[in-house]
Amino acid sequence: MKKIVIIGAVGGGATAAGQIRFYDPKAHIVVFDRDSTMSYAACGTPYVIGDVIEDERSLIMADPEQFKTKRDIDVKLRHEVLKIERETKTVHVRNIETGELFEEPYDVLILAPGGSAIVPDISELNSSKTFTLRSYGDMQKIDQFIKSERPKSCVVSGGGFIGLEMAENLKNLGLDVSLVHKSPTIMSILDTDISLIIEKELSLHGVKLITGTAIEKTEGKSIKLENGIVLQADFIIMSIGLKPNTELAENAGLNIGETGGIRTNEFMQTNDPFIYAIGDASENFDMVTGDPKRVPLASPAHRQAFIAARHLMGDKIAKKGLLGTSVLKVFSLTAAMTGLNEKAITDKKLDFATVVHTGNSNAGYYPEHSKITLKVHYDPRTRKILGAQCIGGKGVDKRIDVLVTAIYAGLTVDDLQALELCYAPPYSSPKDPINMIGYKAITEK
């Protein structure tokens, strides 16, 4: 009977455990995690804080008792793996509650350690009430602080996914929100023109946006920025980025890639064939360019868990790369993207052309419709799609989903005009924006 030890019990780790049990009813599976909560929907945490999701327990998909009763999987929370002994195939574990130290043998080890919020070295930051949002416990601390202390204002540092979602939810709670972002525009994964539309939306809803600077020093509720501006806020949300938790892997001699993640092959194996790495801390490769890539999002983690589980069963399903497909809600806007943005294409010195179409999400004569802008980058020689972005009201996500499928299938930008997509006035137009991109690309040859 094969023994599989998994480090990490959230998205990737919990999914891997469940997948392995589904395919192998006899495997001995043990899961360790430092946290006190497992298998929770981390993406929902800003919406619990914003009271959009009323029951925080609804984010928890499973608990150790359920995993043991229904799947015969041992999940040990509040247990930290301190060391991996590759020669003897054991891990050294500490029970955080009792301090007990013990060793756990494995036949196969799966690393799903996730990542940690980056907190920069800011002068006197400890004097201010500062939070990060990377775990269920972090969410509870922020939520309890807001409910008990009744703060009136907040500074959100970082204009990525978490920063924008927190800015929206805190603003909807009635707080004065200032969003500080070091780069000239927010959401660096988007092209500048798309990011500027989001910035306008933030302004329309009363979020004070300050770009091109960062927090330099704090003194209680006084927050000084590098450009000299001083803000007053009751607390700070620090959301400037994620550092993959790779220390355990590094100390075990596993290869770390140029993105900072644990380097894996197409089957999620590390340079040790008995050790796999999945989720936020793993490095794969870009589907478009083949270059190293790390995407700390839920969907890739679940797919990686499936690939690792199947490989363990002898079924070699290769990972075909990462696109970084993502979607974001900011008040009345939705923004989504997949593949390479303009900066990435330019940095890689790739030839490209761009088609942009602005139109209605569905029939303009139908009462409920909205404007959307769809932007597609493609190789002018091969006509293959390099990346796409969409922003507007309803229907943004479905357009990007179609383009993800097109990239995966190897379709060209010209093929888009031929796709027979769903049409009825509440949902689209006879010539969908996807089709229009294809028609426009043909005329630009």
Side-chain angles (χ1 to χ4, degrees):
M1 182 171 62
K2 186 177 292 185
K3 182 172 182 181
I4 297 154
V5 171
I6 300 173
I7 301 175
V10 190
T15 301
Q19 289 281 319
I20 293 166
R21 172 58 73 233
F22 181 80
Y23 294 115
D24 186 352
K26 295 182 179 179
H28 181 193
I29 306 170
V30 181
V31 185
F32 295 108
D33 199 293
R34 292 178 297 186
D35 209 342
S36 57
T37 310
M38 68 168 292
S39 192
Y40 62 90
C43 299
T45 54
Y47 301 99
V48 171
I49 294 167
D51 282 344
V52 177
I53 299 171
E54 296 180 357
D55 179 10
E56 68 173 47
R57 298 291 298 179
S58 68
L59 298 188
I60 300 176
M61 304 295 107
D63 59 36
E65 291 74 23
Q66 290 172 326
F67 256 52
K68 183 63 178 176
T69 302
K70 295 181 179 180
R71 302 180 181 180
D72 192 24
I73 296 172
D74 295 317
V75 179
K76 300 181 184 297
L77 300 179
R78 301 293 289 159
H79 281 69
E80 181 178 16
V81 177
L82 304 174
K83 186 179 181 181
I84 301 168
E85 292 274 11
R86 289 169 54 192
E87 295 79 9
T88 59
K89 296 176 80 170
T90 59
V91 293
H92 296 233
V93 187
R94 179 172 68 94
N95 183 325
I96 295 173
E97 302 290 352
T98 66
E100 175 196 3
L101 298 172
F102 61 93
E103 294 183 9
E104 190 81 26
Y106 66 85
D107 294 309
V108 174
L109 180 65
I110 298 178
L111 303 180
S116 301
I118 297 172
V119 179
D121 186 13
I122 295 171
S123 178
E124 304 300 325
L125 184 62
N126 290 338
S127 69
S128 302
K129 196 68 180 177
T130 304
F131 299 93
T132 58
L133 182 56
R134 274 299 300 168
S135 69
Y136 193 87
D138 290 342
M139 174 198 74
Q140 290 179 311
K141 289 176 184 176
I142 297 170
D143 193 45
Q144 289 166 6
F145 173 78
I146 291 172
K147 286 179 168 59
S148 63
E149 300 299 322
R150 304 289 182 184
K152 302 296 184 184
S153 57
C154 176
V155 166
V156 177
S157 179
F161 287 101
I162 296 296
L164 291 176
E165 289 169 349
M166 284 303 300
E168 176 187 356
N169 279 283
L170 292 172
K171 190 65 186 177
N172 286 340
L173 288 177
L175 277 72
D176 291 328
V177 179
S178 297
L179 178 62
V180 179
H181 189 65
K182 190 162 189 174
S183 298
T185 54
I186 60 172
M187 287 299 289
S188 59
I189 66 168
L190 297 172
D191 291 344
T192 299
D193 55 339
I194 305 296
S195 293
L196 290 175
I197 297 172
I198 299 176
E199 292 186 6
K200 182 179 179 181
E201 181 76 359
L202 292 169
S203 177
L204 288 173
H205 286 82
V207 174
K208 182 179 181 180
L209 179 63
I210 308 170
T211 58
T213 190
I215 299 174
E216 180 182 84
K217 181 180 180 180
T218 71
E219 188 176 339
K221 296 183 179 182
S222 182
I223 300 156
K224 182 182 178 183
L225 307 183
E226 292 174 351
N227 64 2
I229 293 176
V230 178
L231 302 172
Q232 298 295 320
D234 295 324
F235 67 106
I236 300 168
I237 298 290
M238 193 63 65
S239 58
I240 66 169
L242 174 76
K243 181 183 183 300
N245 294 329
T246 60
E247 185 178 356
L248 196 62
E250 289 183 69
N251 291 340
L254 300 180
N255 292 338
I256 306 300
E258 61 183 69
T259 69
I262 305 166
R263 187 183 297 161
T264 62
N265 64 12
E266 66 270 37
F267 305 115
M268 308 314 301
Q269 288 173 300
T270 67
N271 54 296
D272 184 327
F274 298 103
I275 302 179
Y276 295 74
I278 61 176
D280 294 357
S282 70
E283 176 185 279
N284 299 146
F285 55 93
D286 190 282
M287 187 181 293
V288 177
T289 66
D291 295 332
K293 188 166 186 151
R294 186 174 58 85
V295 178
L297 295 173
S299 293
H302 286 281
R303 178 63 180 169
Q304 292 161 3
F306 169 78
I307 289 171
R310 292 302 301 168
H311 192 258
L312 281 172
M313 300 303 111
D315 189 3
K316 296 183 178 181
I317 302 174
K319 183 93 172 85
K320 293 188 177 181
L322 294 164
L323 287 173
T325 306
S326 51
V327 64
L328 171 73
K329 176 187 177 297
V330 184
F331 296 106
S332 66
L333 279 182
T334 298
M337 64 88 65
T338 191
L340 305 179
N341 63 13
E342 191 168 325
K343 183 180 184 303
I345 295 170
T346 303
D347 288 346
K348 294 176 186 298
K349 297 181 171 57
L350 302 176
D351 290 332
F352 75 103
T354 303
V355 179
V356 180
H357 176 72
T358 298
N360 291 325
S361 59
N362 52 293
Y365 55 79
Y366 190 80
E368 295 178 5
H369 67 274
S370 62
K371 289 290 183 183
I372 64 171
T373 295
L374 181 58
K375 185 177 185 182
V376 176
H377 303 303
Y378 64 95
D379 184 321
R381 182 181 61 83
T382 66
R383 314 294 290 174
K384 291 296 180 68
I385 301 166
L386 302 175
Q389 299 173 36
C390 192
I391 192 166
K394 67 177 184 177
V396 165
D397 55 334
K398 88 170 187 175
R399 270 70 189 203
I400 290 299
D401 284 343
V402 171
L403 289 164
V404 170
T405 306
I407 295 173
Y408 190 88
L411 301 184
T412 67
V413 68
D414 306 312
D415 290 326
L416 299 179
Q417 52 83 22
L419 297 181
E420 187 177 329
L421 303 173
C422 286
Y423 163 62
Y427 303 105
S428 184
S429 302
K431 286 190 291 189
D432 189 87
I434 292 286
N435 300 134
M436 291 304 300
I437 289 289
Y439 285 123
K440 286 186 174 184
I442 289 176
T443 62
E444 292 182 6
K445 278 186 178 179

